[in-house]
Amino acid sequence: MDETALKRMREVVFGVQDGLVSNVALATSMAVATEDIKAILIAGLTGAIAGTFSMASGAFLASRAEIEVEQLLSHGAASDVQKNEKQIRGPLLDAIAMGVSFLIAASIPIIPYFILEGTKSIAASILATLLSLFVLGLVKGIFVKKALFKSGAEVFLIGFISASVGYGLGEFIPLVLATLL
């Protein structure tokens, strides 16, 4: 695979993992707390769209900062033309990779809520997310030439823990709010 494409691997893995986990946590906690399909879909869609812009802009700014630090440390060894092109093109590609991968992945946990109801939609959302996390790990393993099952299991387990926290929050926060309000 092309070295430039491999450099985007960080953004793609980060975007997919964060899109899946943040939106399954959001949708699951909303579903457990409210059981209101409209509220779940609004939260999920808003989370996906806002998260896309947040992650893309964050990737752009972080990539720019990394380039600026590299240039500072190299004492301006690159020409001004090379600096300017690198400062825009690389961060822009990082932002696109991050944003697109986040948006696609953040859609996966909310799709079941369009077609299923109740606990079936929650279960399907979590299952689709966990399966997607495992596939993400497998694909990452292929590209970086690591053990596939180990790579898949790593991403799966980290995502499972995060999704469990989201579910727990959906159960716990309404209880706390009920006692406070």
Side-chain angles (χ1 to χ4, degrees), residues 1-10 94:
M1 174 172 253
D2 178 90
E3 183 181 331
T4 305
L6 278 174
K7 288 182 179 180
R8 302 281 109 61
M9 179 64 67
R10 178 189 184 280
D94 288 346

Side-chain angles (χ1 to χ4, degrees), residues 113-171:
Y113 294 98
F114 283 102
I115 53 180
L116 299 170
E117 294 181 8
T119 57
K120 288 180 183 176
S121 59
I122 296 170
S125 175
I126 292 170
L127 183 63
T129 298
L130 293 174
L131 181 61
S132 297
L133 287 165
F134 188 77
V135 169
L136 171 64
L138 290 177
V139 171
K140 181 188 73 128
I142 291 168
F143 284 112
V144 299
K145 298 179 182 358
K146 297 292 180 185
L148 298 184
F149 183 79
K150 183 178 179 182
S151 182
E154 175 187 50
V155 176
F156 174 87
L157 287 172
I158 291 169
F160 178 78
I161 292 167
S162 297
S164 297
V165 169
Y167 183 85
L169 289 172
E171 289 283 344

Side-chain angles (χ1 to χ4, degrees), residues 44-113:
L45 292 169
T46 303
I49 295 166
T52 296
F53 286 101
S54 175
M55 295 296 287
S57 62
F60 180 84
L61 294 171
S63 187
R64 286 278 305 246
E66 183 179 10
I67 290 167
E68 291 166 348
V69 168
E70 287 173 4
Q71 289 173 348
L72 179 67
L73 295 176
S74 68
H75 304 291
S79 74
D80 286 342
V81 173
Q82 287 174 318
K83 285 180 189 178
N84 290 338
E85 183 179 324
K86 187 177 180 183
Q87 283 185 334
I88 299 299
R89 188 170 185 271
L92 186 59
L93 291 174
D94 288 346
I96 291 168
M98 178 74 78
V100 169
S101 46
F102 183 95
L103 182 61
I104 291 168
S107 301
I108 292 170
I110 58 175
I111 290 171
Y113 294 98

